[in-house]
Amino acid sequence: MSFRMRTGFFLQTRTGCGSTTGPVSRVLKYCNSRSLAVVPQGGNTGLVGGSVPVFDEVIINMASMKNVVSFDKVSGILVCEAGCILENLISFLDNQGFVMPLDLGAKGSCQIGGNVSTNAGGLRLVRYGSLHGNVLGIEVVLANGDVLDMLGTLRKDNTGYDLKHLFIGSEGSLGIITKVSILTPPKLSSVNLAFLACKDYSSCQKLLLEAKRRLGEVLSAFEFLDNQSLDLVLNHLEGVRNPLPPSMHNFYALIETTGSDESYDKEKLEAFLLRSMEGGLISDGVLAQDINQASSFWRIREGVAEALMKAGAVYKYDLSLPVEKMYNLVEEMRIRLGDSSKVIGYGHLGDGNLHLNISTPQYDDMILAQIEPFVYEWTSKHRGSISAEHGLGLMKANKIFYSKSRESVQLMASIKKLMDPNGILNPYKVLPHSLSYS
Amino acid sequence: MKIMVAVKRVVDYAVKIRVKPDKTGLETHNVKMSMNPFCEIALEEALRIKESGLALEVVAVSMGPAQCVDTLRTGLAMGADRGIHVEATGALYPLSVAKLLKALVEVENPGLLILGKQAIDDDCNQTGQMVAGLLGWPQGTFASKVVLDKENQVATVDREVDGGLETLSLDLPAVITTDLRLNQPRYATLPNIMKAKSKVIKKLTPQELKVEIRSDLEVVQVTEPPKRKAGVIVSSVDELIDKLKNEAHVI
Ligand SMILES: Cc1cc2nc3c(=O)[nH]c(=O)nc-3n(C[C@H](O)[C@H](O)[C@H](O)COP(=O)(O)OP(=O)(O)OC[C@H]3O[C@@H](n4cnc5c(N)ncnc54)[C@H](O)[C@@H]3O)c2cc1C
C-alpha cells in the first residue's frame, strides 16, 4: 500500500525557535529502523521520474519547508528551506536587488531543494555556472535520521572532502536536503533580449562563438530551437505569436545580455547583431523593446516542453554533446523515424546541451525500438552525456553506463551502500538496478 | 498627409512600481523604462495608415528628459520616419504636454495627431483631449478602429464607451487617442533597427516652441494604496451573516 505523508502534518510539531528539520529527521529515523523506503518529493517537475514512488515508498513532500532563513545583502548569500519555490525566491530576491543564479521553465512549481538535488542547469548557466559553484552549503538529513549541518556561507573552504557536492545532483538517493545556502548575484538593471533566425545549424554555432567573443561580459543566455519546435509551440500554446514573419527559417536563437548600463549594453548588442546580419549568420531578427516583449520571446523557448506535452506522446532526451555535432543526431533521428513521428531539437546551445524530443500520437514500442538504444549509443560514441541536466531518476538509471565507466559506477554504489545501508532513500533511482540490489 | 504620434517614456509595464521613501514620487532610479504601451499602439496605427498608402510620413515626438531619445529610437526602429525630442527636465503635466504638442503641430502641420489614451505611469487620460481643445480639432478618443477616407478627408473612429461601441466621423485634421484593442504593435526588427540608425531626431526646447512650462499642480505626497487585508474563511452561513451584520455592518 502506498500512502502519503504530508509535511504539513510534520511541521505542526515544530517548536518556536528550533529548525523545521526535526520532523524530517524523525521520519527518516523511523523509516530506517523499519526499512521503509521513502521518496523525497519537491515540486514534482522532474523529467525522469525521480520524485515518483514506484511501489510502496513513503512520500516525503517538502512543500511546507518554505521559509527564507536569512539573506545577507552585502554578500548576496541566501539561506532558505528546501521547499521554497524557485519563483518565490526569485521575487524575494528581486525586492532585495538580487537574482537567483538559475532560472528554468518550471520555476513556478519546482523547489530549490529539487533544483539542488537534480543539479538543475537552466537558462542562465552560461552566465552564472552550475549549482556546484553557487551552492555554498546545505543541511541534509541522512538515511538514519542524522542531520548533517554543512550550511556554510563561505566562498572558500578547503577543509577535507567537500561533501555537499555528493548531494548536489544525487536526486535524493543519499539524503534529504532540508536547507540550502546559495550565492546570488546582484540584479543588474539592463537586460536585453533578441530573437533571431538562422538559416542553418552551422550559423547558430558560429553565432554562439561570436557572441561569446564579442558579448562575453554581458552575455547571459544563448538558447536555440529548430523551426519544428517553433511550429509546435505556435500550434499548441495559446496566445503565442511568431515574432518574425512566417518564412523559411530553419533555426532560431535567443541571445540575452545582462549588464549595468542600458545604453552601452544595447548599443553593443545592436552592433553585434547588425554585424552578424551583414555577415550572414543571422537572416532576420527582432530585439525586445520592453519587458513584455522579452517575456513573449522567452515564452516561446520555455513553452516547448509544455507544447510537447499537449501534442501527444513524447520521448525525451537531454544530452550533452560537442556543439558542432549536436544537431547531426536530430537529423539522423529524423531519417530513422521517417514520417512516423516529429523529431525536434532545442536547448541550451551555450552549454552544449541538446533537448532531443520525439513527439508521436501515442506511445509505440516499435518507435521506441528505433530510438533506443541508438540515441544512447550515438551519444556515448561522441563522448557526450545521456543526461545533461535532468538526472537519471527512474527512467534512465539503467543507462548510466553509456556515460560512466564501470569503475565509477561501482564507487557510486559503494558510497550509496555506506550512506544508506538499508537502501531506503529513493530506491530504483539513479543507480542501475543490477548494482543497487545485488 | 503627415501623421504625428506622441510617445512617452514610462516605467516599464511589467515592473513592480515602488514609491520613493521620501514620498515625493515613484522610484525610477535603476528601473527599466520603456515606451508607454498605448503609445506603441498609437504608433502602430500610424504606421499601418502609412503602409496602406494614406499617409506619407510618420513623425514621433516625445517630451521629457534626455533619455526620451531612447524611446524615440524605439519608435524609429518600429518604422517612424523621424523624431522630435522636446527636452524638459522638470515635472511635465498633461496641460504642458498638450501646449507643447500644439506648438509642434503648428510647426509640422500633420493631418492627424495620434496619442495613447493614457500613460500607464500617472493614468491621467487628459493630454489628447486637451490638445484637441487647444487646437480646436475634432477628437476621437479610446479608438478601437480607425478608417480613413482620403478623398473626403474624414476619419471614422469606433470608440469603446461604457455602453458599447460608438462610431464617430471626424473631419481632418483631428486628434485620435488609442485603446488597447486597436491593434497589436509590431516588434523592432533588425533591418528596421539598422535603418533607424540614419534617421534624424531633432531636439527642441520649450523656449524655442514659446511654451512656458508652468506647473499648475503641486504633488503633496505619493503613497502606496492601502494593502488589501487577507480574506477569512467562515465555517457556516450563520457565521457569515453574523460577520456581515456585526463586523462589516453591511446588512
Ligand atoms: C517545463 C519544465 C522545464 C524544465 N527546464 C529545465 C531546465 O531548463 N534545466 C534543468 O536542469 N531542468 C529543467 N527541468 C527539470 C528539472 O529537473 C526540474 O524542473 C527541477 O529541478 C526539479 O525540481 P522539483 O522541486 O520539481 O523536484 P522533483 O521533481 O520533485 O524531484 C526531483 C528529484 O529530486 C529529489 N528531491 C526533490 N526534493 C528533494 C530534497 N529536498 N532533498 C532530496 N531530494 C529531493 C526527488 O526525489 C527527485 O529525485 C524542467 C522541467 C519542466 C517541467
Side-chain angles (χ1 to χ4, degrees), chain A residues 39-47 50-51 62 82 104-106 109-111 113-115 117-123 171-172 175-177 305 348 389-390 426:
Chain A
V39 188
Q41 193 170 77
N44 235 334
T45 67
L47 297 172
S51 58
M62 302 301 288
L104 45 92
S109 315
C110 67
Q111 301 172 3
N115 300 143
S117 300
T118 55
N119 186 23
L123 306 166
E171 304 177 62
I176 297 190
I177 297 178
H348 314 293
E389 59 173 13
H390 293 164
N426 221 359

Side-chain angles (χ1 to χ4, degrees), chain B residues 66-99:
Chain B
Q67 299 92 325
C68 288
V69 169
D70 295 340
T71 311
L72 284 170
R73 287 255 164 252
T74 295
L76 298 181
M78 284 173 70
D81 297 291
R82 59 191 168 88
I84 299 176
H85 174 212
V86 182
E87 186 156 10
T89 41
L92 275 182
Y93 294 105
L95 186 56
S96 306
V97 177
K99 286 180 182 167

Side-chain angles (χ1 to χ4, degrees), chain A residues 325-350:
Chain A
K325 306 243 178 65
M326 201 156 111
Y327 204 75
N328 294 359
L329 176 58
V330 182
E331 284 164 347
E332 282 186 38
M333 194 57 88
R334 268 190 200 129
I335 295 169
R336 278 179 81 81
L337 294 175
D339 294 335
S340 69
S341 23
K342 260 192 216 121
V343 180
I344 71 160
Y346 68 98
H348 314 293
L349 195 69

Side-chain angles (χ1 to χ4, degrees), chain A residues 266-280:
Chain A
K266 194 159 184 180
E267 223 164 88
K268 195 176 165 85
L269 178 62
E270 276 182 9
F272 168 75
L273 295 175
L274 298 183
R275 184 183 308 118
S276 307
M277 194 146 160
E278 279 160 9

